Amino acid sequence: MVIKTATFVKSSGKWQDCPEPNIPEYAFIGRSNVGKSSLINAMMNHKDLAKTSQTPGKTQLINHFLVNENWYLTDLPGYGYAKVSKSIRKDFEKLITNYILNRKNLVNLFVLVDSRHKPQTIDMEFIQWCGESGVPFSIVFTKVDKLKPNAAIKNVEDYKTELHKTWEDLPEIYVTSAEKKEGCDEILDFIQKTNEFLANNNVNFDE
């Protein structure tokens, strides 16, 4: 997929305030500091479309971007903020779950996982929740350039082994580096093919 245009649409504090759900939408989520904004910017060939920060948990709203005038890319708040109060964390979690479960044009949720770490409980629990809630999702490993190739492969395999304990079939898995733009084309190809499938089958989100 060639990115011709990518423009910020709006930030929403409630899922009900999101743009009209009339075109396909793909959302990105992960733990704070997983490299979500950097990956979005790399995919969109845009240095600061999504705001990057040294402070984990900076994204506190649902941010919508219109890509190629025909699909939404959504930047969701992270989960597992270490430096915010329990009440704020609860508000974030409510915002995230309500959006994921109620946004009828959400075609796929990309769950970002830091490839530098062994399987983390918080990621495993979120992935499990997606499966139990019937949410279509993919797993995206980030920051593979920060590791030696063998170490990155081993961590990804460790995640697969852990997931296979409760999952028979695993979702789509992407291995990425925002720095080197690895994996970006694969994610965009998946989005393009999915959009073509929806168009060919006359899927109407307004119904």
Side-chain angles (χ1 to χ4, degrees), residues 33-104:
N33 210 25
V34 75
K36 178 164 50 73
S37 298
S38 297
L39 183 65
I40 289 172
N41 290 336
M43 286 173 51
M44 296 294 107
N45 289 320
H46 201 303
K47 202 162 64 173
D48 53 6
L49 187 70
K51 301 301 178 193
T52 58
S53 168
Q54 296 305 309
T55 309
K58 185 74 174 172
T59 307
Q60 299 179 7
L61 299 168
I62 300 170
N63 295 310
H64 274 82
F65 303 91
L66 179 62
V67 184
N68 290 351
E69 302 290 329
N70 64 6
W71 61 276
Y72 286 126
L73 184 155
T74 309
D75 184 6
L76 292 174
Y79 52 80
Y81 323 85
K83 296 183 180 178
V84 297
S85 68
K86 279 187 179 175
S87 62
I88 292 175
R89 196 178 306 164
K90 230 172 199 170
D91 288 344
F92 283 167
E93 286 169 0
K94 191 176 175 186
L95 175 67
I96 291 165
T97 53
N98 281 339
Y99 164 83
I100 292 170
L101 296 177
N102 293 296
R103 188 72 172 158
K104 63 182 181 180

Side-chain angles (χ1 to χ4, degrees), residues 113-131:
V113 173
D114 194 330
S115 68
R116 297 174 299 175
H117 305 301
K118 298 288 183 189
Q120 304 285 299
T121 301
I122 191 166
D123 290 324
M124 299 300 293
E125 287 176 349
F126 185 77
I127 288 167
Q128 192 65 29
W129 175 81
C130 287

